[in-house]
Amino acid sequence: QVQLVESGGGLVQAGGSLRLSCAASGSIFSINVMGWYRQAPGKQRELVAAISRSSTNYTDSVKGRFTISRDNAKNTVYLQMNSLKPEDTAVYYCNLILMGRNLRRYDLWGQGTQVTVSS
């Protein structure tokens, strides 16, 4: 059994910063891809950033402002969000694609954390 716990959301003024964390625990063999998605009211969930063992990618709207990173020893992925804008307001979800110690592939989602940016 593998679980994800997200933390770090909140309310911030435009131009401010927040750091999201998502920690995986349980019977994990390896984590392939770790990503952050967001969903604003009335909009579809979109990929914000993703990190594999060798590369990162970002949606255009956050390039230069957000940084995704991972700590493999802690099975944790982070999203550092700087220069936040009101349009970044959304529920942010982490997503991990991993292999359990039972050698099964898992595609897991965090519970979501609200990020609200005021103008």
Side-chain angles (χ1 to χ4, degrees):
Q1 194 80 335
V2 181
Q3 293 182 326
L4 303 183
V5 177
E6 294 185 33
S7 61
L11 172 64
V12 65
Q13 288 188 332
S17 298
L18 285 173
R19 188 192 195 207
L20 306 183
S21 300
C22 176
S25 61
S27 184
I28 299 169
F29 179 73
S30 66
I31 301 178
N32 299 328
V33 180
M34 311 172 92
W36 288 96
Y37 290 71
R38 66 186 179 188
Q39 188 166 18
K43 295 187 176 182
Q44 288 188 330
R45 189 173 297 188
E46 65 169 347
L47 176 65
V48 176
I51 183 168
S52 68
R53 291 189 177 273
S54 59
S55 65
T56 59
N57 65 81
Y58 300 89
T59 192
D60 287 345
S61 63
V62 307
K63 287 180 180 177
R65 300 188 298 122
F66 291 10
T67 302
I68 190 170
S69 61
R70 61 190 286 173
D71 184 332
N72 293 323
K74 296 181 179 180
N75 291 328
T76 299
V77 60
Y78 305 96
L79 186 67
Q80 178 67 43
M81 305 185 292
N82 299 328
S83 303
L84 281 160
K85 304 176 180 180
E87 51 264 43
D88 295 317
T89 295
V91 178
Y92 284 70
Y93 299 89
C94 65
N95 172 250
L96 271 62
I97 299 174
L98 60 89
M99 181 173 290
R101 293 191 181 278
N102 58 6
L103 301 185
R104 292 180 61 184
R105 180 184 181 277
Y106 294 88
D107 187 343
L108 301 175
W109 291 89
Q111 79 276 16
T113 185
Q114 177 70 46
V115 171
T116 303
V117 184
S118 62
S119 58

